[in-house]
Amino acid sequence: MIVNITGCFVIGLFATATGPDGRWMAPAPFRQFFMLGVCGGYTTFSSFSLQTLNLAEDGEWFRAGANAVLSLVLCLAGVWLGHVLAMELNSAKGP
């Protein structure tokens, strides 16, 4: 949880501070590298949170809500399916 929270804080700070109206200018390739590569590698939750915030700020409330709900539900379903498959593989006989 601490990784997700700190990652969200860092990506929010960096995205705003280096954006078009930000205090510091950063080239677009560096911004993408830092936000998607560094922060995304640290925690993908930070990228998800920034996308949801951007949708909400653009007035896309339905899409922001759908992004949040579907991400939670589908990711939990994915991890559950992966767990079920691994349990089946673990219990299978053979090499």
Side-chain angles (χ1 to χ4, degrees):
M1 182 179 280
I2 291 172
V3 169
N4 287 337
I5 293 168
T6 57
C8 290
F9 171 77
V10 169
I11 201 170
L13 176 71
F14 185 81
T16 302
T18 62
D21 297 327
R23 177 179 283 274
W24 300 290
M25 294 301 296
F30 179 75
R31 290 184 82 231
Q32 290 175 346
F33 166 77
F34 186 82
M35 290 190 292
L36 300 176
V38 175
C39 292
Y42 181 61
T43 169
T44 56
F45 195 76
S46 61
S47 299
F48 154 77
S49 298
L50 182 61
Q51 290 170 347
T52 305
L53 176 65
N54 286 338
L55 287 169
E57 285 182 336
D58 290 343
E60 300 277 350
W61 292 103
F62 177 79
R63 291 182 68 196
N67 188 46
V69 171
L70 288 173
S71 292
L72 176 64
V73 171
L74 295 175
C75 288
L76 285 174
V79 77
W80 176 77
L81 288 171
H83 172 76
V84 169
L85 177 60
M87 293 295 285
E88 289 296 318
L89 292 172
N90 288 343
S91 65
K93 304 279 187 211

